[in-house]
DNA sequence: TCTGGGGTCCTAGGACCC
DNA sequence: TCTGGGGTCCTAGGACCC
């Protein structure tokens, strides 16, 4: 059996936790740049505020209905997430952290719990809420897809009290009959349209389809979903592996056309991506730089520029990567375009100790020339390691300037295109200056 | 005025191999 | 006129997830 633990309105409840005066009130959290609504408290949902709606479209409505609005505070959410996940890990040995607010649990090795899954799941819910203050819903089923379905029911139907265990076949069928196909894990907007066209509207209608037919029309992934609905497990618990690609990108708070400004933004993204790359002990062979104009702009056509390069010797050195990115940008840069977003992508990653050396690179001379080249490489690594160490020690919040950085990134406080987060809450749990005070 | 960011997996088609 | 069979690797694009 699998369980899915999902935090309710996670970002909104992180904010409410430190603002008890907002309990039961409508609260929403916005995406970066205060763009879209990405989380809503129950009261905000009840007001009819939709997920992912652009904030400017509901701003007046929110003001009129006393909705409290927050910018995204990822420092806070990441810390609260860690507390929830480590609490779960103390209660179950096989946990897959699926996203910032969700975890799958594998319950097969838990014979004691098998006797009464409902009691086990209820206890789990109670402990998580007691230890972290974050309310959760729990769904249990014989496959991950069924656990997801159960979780959806636990959230939707108050009678479940936030815990839904799918054991009896008649229950499973009933739930599938009353659940819309678009609420199923693995069915997005496109598939919904195509499934509807085939006369499939409920989860149950998909479950009774011939899996081979589904494969023919939609591919192997939806076929597996179909099999999982019938109790045949196709998706196992997965454990973290190194990322295969690393992206850092962000929209600007205003349009950017100037080449130097664009370059500073790209360099800052290189620094972020390179830090993540080193954190997972990897190096990259491939770097791409991109910038886009706004797809919503009426005044000019959508423009996207991008360029890629290969590193003969895979690297994680910020300086090497930044130099390459700046050169790339100068070859792809187009004037008179209002860029709305820029970023970098690192791919073709491998472990730093499994690097394939270049047959023709001068590095091969290392042994012959004595220690000079090797010393040089070591020195370069030591510099980057020192920068990482200093930045870790003097860790500012995310989105603040690092303690030590490369000049090409520019000075953050002087960059007027930086992301705007006008409604940011304090970092209650990670910054001593922001710690809540009891009067 | 104002529309997020970061990932994964699968498939089809082309280039190439013997 | 007629043009093999079986395979790998790479890439772009499309779908999905949160």
């Amino acid at each position: 059996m699998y369980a899915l633990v999902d935090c309710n309105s996670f970002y909104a409840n992180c904010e409410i936790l430190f603002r008890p005066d907002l309990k039961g009130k409508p609260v929403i959290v916005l995406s970066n740049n205060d763009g879209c609504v990405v989380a809503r408290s129950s009261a905000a949902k009840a007001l009819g505020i939709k997920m992912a709606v652009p904030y400017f479209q509901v701003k007046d409505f929110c003001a009129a209905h006393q909705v409290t609005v927050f910018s995204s505070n990822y420092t806070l959410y990441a810390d609260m997430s860690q507390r929830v996940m480590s609490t779960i890990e103390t209660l179950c040995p096989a946990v897959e952290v699926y996203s910032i607010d969700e975890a799958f649990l594998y319950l097969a090795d838990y014979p004691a719990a098998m006797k009464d899954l409902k009691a086990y799941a209820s206890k789990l819910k109670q402990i998580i809420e007691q230890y972290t203050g974050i309310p959760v819903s729990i769904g249990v089923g014989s496959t991950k897809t069924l656990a997801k379905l159960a979780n959806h029911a636990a959230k939707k139907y108050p009678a479940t009290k936030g815990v839904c265990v799918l054991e009896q076949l008649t229950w499973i069928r009933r739930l599938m009959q009353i659940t819309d196909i678009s609420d199923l894990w693995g069915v997005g907007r496109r598939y919904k349209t195509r499934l509807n066209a085939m006369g499939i509207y409920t989860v149950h209608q998909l479950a009774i389809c011939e899996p081979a037919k589904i494969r023919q029309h939609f591919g192997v992934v939806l076929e597996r979903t179909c099999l999982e609905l019938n109790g045949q497990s196709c998706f196992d618990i997965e454990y973290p592996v190194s990322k295969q690609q690393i992206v850092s990108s962000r929209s600007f708070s205003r349009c950017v056309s100037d080449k130097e400004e664009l370059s500073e933004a790209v360099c800052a993204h290189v620094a972020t991506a390179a830090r993540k790359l080193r954190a997972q002990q990897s190096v990259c062979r491939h770097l791409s730089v991109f910038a886009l104009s706004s797809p919503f702009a009426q005044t000019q056509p959508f423009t996207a520029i991008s360029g890629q390069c290969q590193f003969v010797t895979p690297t994680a050195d910020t300086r090497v990567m930044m130099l390459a990115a700046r050169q790339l940008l100068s070859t792809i840069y187009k004037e008179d375009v209002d860029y709305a977003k820029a970023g970098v992508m690192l791919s073709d990653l491998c472990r730093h100790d499994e690097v394939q050396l270049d047959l023709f690179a001068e590095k091969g001379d290392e042994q012959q020339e004595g220690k000079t080249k090797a010393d040089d490489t070591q020195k370069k690594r030591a510099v980057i390691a020192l920068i990482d160490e200093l930045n870790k020690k003097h860790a500012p919040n995310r989105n603040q300037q690092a303690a030590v950085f490369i000049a090409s990134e520019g000075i953050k406080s002087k960059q007027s295109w930086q992301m705007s987060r006008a409604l940011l809450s304090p970092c209650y749990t990670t910054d001593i200056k922001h710690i809540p005070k009891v009067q």
Side-chain angles (χ1 to χ4, degrees), chain A residues 99-135:
Chain A
S99 74
I100 194 163
D101 71 336
E102 276 175 80
F104 281 107
L105 284 63
Y106 184 52
L107 303 179
D109 304 330
Y110 242 71
M114 294 300 285
K115 279 187 207 151
D116 190 347
L117 282 169
K118 178 94 182 174
Y120 172 76
S122 301
K123 185 75 185 163
L124 198 63
K125 175 175 157 68
Q126 181 245 314
I127 292 176
I128 296 167
E129 292 176 359
Q130 183 190 339
Y131 285 15
T132 67
I134 297 294

Side-chain angles (χ1 to χ4, degrees), chain A residues 335-372:
Chain A
E335 282 183 349
D336 302 324
V337 175
D338 289 333
Y339 296 100
K341 179 176 178 172
V344 303
M345 179 158 75
L346 312 180
S347 48
D348 209 348
L349 314 185
C350 63
R351 284 185 51 89
H352 73 105
D353 51 4
E354 291 171 0
V355 171
Q356 174 65 56
L357 298 177
D358 174 29
L359 183 60
F360 302 105
E362 291 174 22
K363 254 192 122 191
D365 302 346
E366 270 173 28
Q367 292 121 345
Q368 295 159 25
E369 284 185 19
K371 290 180 187 164
T372 44

Side-chain angles (χ1 to χ4, degrees), chain A residues 60 66 114 134 143 176 182 185 198 238 379 406 425:
Chain A
D60 294 342
Q66 280 98 48
M114 294 300 285
I134 297 294
T143 65
M176 291 199 294
S182 61
W185 191 41
M198 294 168 69
E238 287 174 23
K379 269 185 201 159
I406 312 285
S425 56

Side-chain angles (χ1 to χ4, degrees), chain A residues 9-13 15 26-41 44 49-60 62-63 67-75 77 250 399 419-425:
Chain A
S9 311
F10 182 56
Y11 297 168
N13 276 321
E15 300 291 351
V27 171
I28 60 170
V29 179
L30 306 177
S31 63
N32 282 331
N33 264 319
D34 296 341
C36 295
V37 175
V38 291
R40 306 153 297 156
S41 68
I49 300 171
K50 298 273 179 256
M51 185 68 172
V53 68
Y55 177 51
F56 73 90
Q57 288 175 7
V58 294
K59 199 170 179 179
D60 294 342
C62 289
V67 178
T68 306
V69 185
F70 290 98
S71 302
S72 284
N73 184 346
Y74 282 101
T75 311
Y77 312 148
R250 192 131 297 167
N399 299 309
M419 169 169 78
S420 54
R421 293 195 299 176
L423 306 161
L424 192 60
S425 56

Side-chain angles (χ1 to χ4, degrees), chain A residues 278 316-319 374-390 404:
Chain A
R278 293 193 293 274
D317 190 317
T318 308
R319 297 164 299 174
D375 280 357
D376 203 33
T377 311
Q378 278 215 328
K379 269 185 201 159
K380 282 180 186 166
R381 281 207 197 122
V383 171
I384 296 292
L386 183 63
I387 292 175
D388 282 342
E389 200 181 315
L390 284 169
V404 181

Side-chain angles (χ1 to χ4, degrees), chain A residues 148-150 152-153 156-157 166 171-185 200-206 229:
Chain A
K148 268 273 188 184
L149 184 69
H152 180 257
K156 187 166 178 181
Y157 304 108
L166 291 180
W171 282 25
I172 300 176
R173 189 189 309 148
R174 184 80 197 109
L175 180 59
M176 291 199 294
Q177 281 168 342
I178 58 170
T179 306
D180 191 276
I181 191 70
S182 61
D183 292 325
L184 181 66
W185 191 41
I200 297 168
Y201 296 92
T202 68
V203 173
H204 184 249
Q205 285 174 315
L206 178 66
L229 287 174

